[in-house]
Amino acid sequence: MFATLLATVALCGAFNVVIDPLGIFGTPRISGLNATKPYLDHHRDLARWQAARRLCPTAGIFGNSRAEIGFDPEHPGFAAHDLVAYNHAIPGTPISIALRQLHWLDDAGCRPKLLIVGVDFFDFLGAPPARVPPPAIPPAPRIDGSVLAETVFSVTGLRDSLNTIAIQHASHPASLSPRGFNPLLNYIPEVAQSGHYALFRQRALENLKNWTRKAPRIHPDDGSQSVEYAGLNAFLHDAATMGTTVHVVIYPYHAQIRLMMERAGLGRLFAEWKASVLAAAEHTRTGNVAIKVWDFSGVSAETTEPIPAPGDRQTHLTYYWEAGHFKKALGDRILDRILLDRPGFGQLVTDASVDEWLIEDRRFVTDLASRPSGLIQEVDSLFPGASHQQSTSISQRRDRNQS
């Protein structure tokens, strides 16, 4: 009985290593068996690090879920510059995670030549103060005994392996590419079942709830540096020290979010935040190292893509899943602009152009808000009852904070 037990555990462990759901062992991907890896929410740091370490990329994509879903590391623009890219972005994580990932790459001798890092206004909102001195960067995650127990010799590991086999022939699996890109294919049947409108509406209500939980400020009241600004400054400084080119991307929020921000009294603060992101880039730029800031959040044909009507389950948008998360098609437009210098979408923000651009950008949003439309009606419906009081309250708190 004991021998049978040991043999069963050993076979189970070998099976889990061969299938390798997390991709941490580097087992060859076999079509029809384990080539498509499931999107899993555990050991994310380890899974991404092991894949990046083996690839040793010369270009990196960093950020939160917007970058993970939107930026394809296999975009032809990387190859045009003789670069091999990996998408390190992890949903719901601050820029301090990107900083540690950058250091892990450098420590492993995989110093990237080019970085694309997405910055999110809502991560800076509230401005909790940074720790002084900043916390030490932890060592890169490794496969230790506890990891082996959880991924190889456990029911969870076996379940993940069986799920990996099951999704090999699925039409729209929740998966992660070998280079860290999440195409969000599992949302295609979600749209077919519920429609884009339901996704936009649900996310909009969640956003309003999250915004009102935070103080309307981007810097702490005591004049110190916030957690996110400290992380951004450290990331840009260390990248510049490494001689790495950095493209800072302000995400292409759908116009619904821009209008919601205006109604919530955050429009001016958003403009101030953009200027401060540029200031951080200018402050850390050294020598000939390029640090560029790109703003893709402006009002454009892409960011005003019409939201389908309630109950419409036939229309699949070209650029957005919902207002905060853009599709690969729009991410490709962004990478076209940054890597291939194709004009059109987005704005390169510089010291010389920032003031004029912020005025023009804000005017586009206020003009859009002044014209009756289905989008305006939808945004207004998100502020029922005491919404005007809530909006005024937020705006007043913001003004007191600024003064």
Side-chain angles (χ1 to χ4, degrees):
M1 289 177 63
F2 184 65
T4 299
L5 177 62
L6 287 179
T8 301
V9 172
L11 286 172
C12 178
F15 174 73
N16 290 335
V17 171
V18 168
I19 302 301
D20 194 12
L22 289 164
I24 60 176
F25 301 111
T27 304
R29 296 182 179 231
I30 302 172
S31 179
L33 181 66
N34 68 345
T36 301
K37 301 297 184 184
Y39 189 89
L40 301 171
D41 59 3
H42 47 274
H43 295 295
R44 295 185 300 180
D45 271 355
L46 175 64
R48 289 189 179 278
W49 167 240
Q50 290 296 326
R53 179 184 60 82
R54 289 191 297 269
L55 181 64
C56 200
T58 49
I61 297 166
F62 297 88
N64 55 21
S65 59
R66 308 186 204 279
E68 181 201 48
I69 292 168
F71 297 140
D72 185 357
E74 297 191 66
H75 184 278
F78 293 108
H81 293 275
D82 294 322
L83 298 171
V84 175
Y86 185 82
N87 191 323
H88 303 265
I90 299 177
T93 56
I95 198 167
S96 59
I97 299 299
L99 177 63
R100 70 170 65 171
Q101 292 170 324
L102 180 61
H103 277 266
W104 294 342
L105 289 169
D106 188 44
D107 292 343
C110 298
R111 179 174 292 185
K113 298 178 181 178
L114 181 144
L115 302 176
I116 292 176
V117 55
V119 288
D120 196 339
F121 168 70
F122 304 106
D123 288 340
F124 289 75
L125 188 62
R131 286 174 53 184
V132 180
I137 293 176
R142 59 191 180 88
I143 303 174
D144 55 19
S146 63
V147 171
L148 289 174
E150 293 178 33
T151 62
V152 178
F153 303 110
S154 72
V155 174
T156 298
L158 181 60
R159 183 184 63 215
D160 290 342
S161 294
L162 293 175
N163 182 38
T164 301
I165 294 174
I167 69 171
Q168 297 307 303
H169 302 288
S171 300
H172 304 106
S175 63
L176 197 68
S177 80
R179 294 196 188 179
F181 176 59
N182 174 13
L184 210 65
L185 296 178
N186 52 303
Y187 262 44
I188 294 177
E190 181 72 20
V191 172
Q193 179 178 353
S194 303
H196 272 294
Y197 175 84
L199 299 180
F200 270 79
R201 184 76 181 186
Q202 177 183 355
R203 184 66 66 177
L205 292 171
E206 291 173 356
N207 284 336
L208 281 179
K209 186 177 181 180
N210 291 332
W211 299 352
T212 54
R213 288 175 176 173
K214 298 181 178 182
R217 64 185 181 216
I218 55 175
H219 299 291
D221 291 334
D222 60 7
S224 63
Q225 201 170 46
S226 72
V227 172
E228 283 299 304
Y229 275 111
L232 177 61
N233 287 326
F235 183 91
L236 295 178
H237 175 271
D238 292 358
T241 301
M242 296 175 188
T244 303
T245 297
V246 183
H247 295 279
V248 181
V249 173
I250 296 172
Y251 292 122
Y253 305 122
H254 189 276
Q256 183 195 54
I257 285 183
R258 295 297 309 273
L259 292 171
M260 288 170 58
M261 290 166 62
E262 288 294 326
R263 284 292 305 272
L266 297 174
R268 189 177 299 278
L269 191 64
F270 184 48
E272 293 173 5
W273 172 78
K274 291 181 182 183
S276 66
V277 169
L278 176 64
E282 293 293 331
H283 177 72
T284 54
R285 183 183 290 114
T286 58
N288 295 323
V289 176
I291 301 179
K292 296 183 178 181
V293 177
W294 300 85
D295 184 6
F296 294 95
S297 69
V299 175
S300 66
E302 293 84 1
T303 60
T304 54
E305 184 175 20
I307 303 172
D312 180 354
R313 296 187 293 273
Q314 303 300 318
T315 302
H316 288 257
L317 296 183
T318 301
Y319 294 131
Y320 286 92
W321 295 107
E322 31 82 1
H325 290 87
F326 53 98
K327 294 184 177 181
K328 176 186 180 307
L330 191 54
D332 285 347
R333 293 285 306 278
I334 293 172
L335 297 178
D336 285 346
R337 181 71 191 276
I338 294 174
L339 300 174
L340 300 178
D341 197 26
R342 292 179 180 169
F345 182 48
Q347 177 75 27
L348 176 63
V349 185
T350 66
D351 252 354
S353 68
V354 60
D355 292 336
E356 182 179 352
W357 164 243
L358 292 179
I359 293 172
E360 181 181 6
D361 174 57
R362 190 85 188 283
R363 178 171 57 79
F364 282 148
V365 176
T366 55
D367 285 351
L368 182 63
S370 67
R371 296 195 303 267
S373 66
L375 179 58
I376 293 297
Q377 293 177 1
E378 176 62 25
V379 170
D380 287 345
S381 73
L382 294 167
F383 294 83
S387 62
H388 292 286
Q389 294 178 359
Q390 179 190 47
S391 176
T392 301
S393 174
I394 292 175
S395 181
Q396 289 173 345
R397 281 189 293 157
R398 183 205 68 219
D399 293 339
R400 284 199 301 269
N401 182 62
Q402 291 171 351
S403 63

